[in-house]
Amino acid sequence: MNEKILLEKLEKGEYDISKQTFKQGVITWEFSICQGIPQKVRKGKRIQAFLYQSKEEKLLFLKRYGCLPELFLDHEEVMHYSLHYYQQKGEIYEKNISHCRIR
């Protein structure tokens, strides 16, 4: 799908999600999208928050986290966009796409 269309849908709030939490050992990750602005929070020994505000940052968020079904199961176009990103990266990133489950 065209990146321009993905950005338009994101900015219109079509991909907005309430907080989704994932645990990875002692680290907790929280993802949300509010009014078209993706946010990621990493909680461990310290808390780090990341806002994705520019167009480039928003596309990077969709590329990196778009194939998480907990976030984008109802938006297959985002999941395909993310999967394509990881496939272009090659074998080094194969472990990163193992969680991608496209219908």
Side-chain angles (χ1 to χ4, degrees), residues 32-45:
S32 64
I33 302 174
C34 184
Q35 297 178 341
I37 300 176
Q39 177 178 328
K40 176 179 77 172
V41 177
R42 179 188 183 276
K43 295 180 178 180
K45 290 184 179 181

Side-chain angles (χ1 to χ4, degrees), residues 40-53:
K40 176 179 77 172
V41 177
R42 179 188 183 276
K43 295 180 178 180
K45 290 184 179 181
R46 56 191 167 118
I47 297 175
Q48 293 177 297
F50 307 88
L51 285 177
Y52 297 82
Q53 296 183 14

Side-chain angles (χ1 to χ4, degrees), residues 8-16 36 75 77:
E8 287 173 0
K9 287 184 167 193
L10 179 65
E11 291 170 0
K12 287 181 186 176
E14 291 185 32
Y15 302 143
D16 281 8
H75 303 287
E77 70 278 7

Side-chain angles (χ1 to χ4, degrees), residues 4 9 13 16-17 21-22 24 36 53 58 61 66 78 80 88-90 94 99:
K4 182 179 176 183
K9 287 184 167 193
D16 281 8
I17 53 171
T21 304
F22 303 90
Q24 185 179 31
Q53 296 183 14
K58 289 177 180 182
F61 180 88
V78 178
H80 281 285
Q88 285 185 322
K89 292 290 187 182
E94 282 298 315
H99 61 277

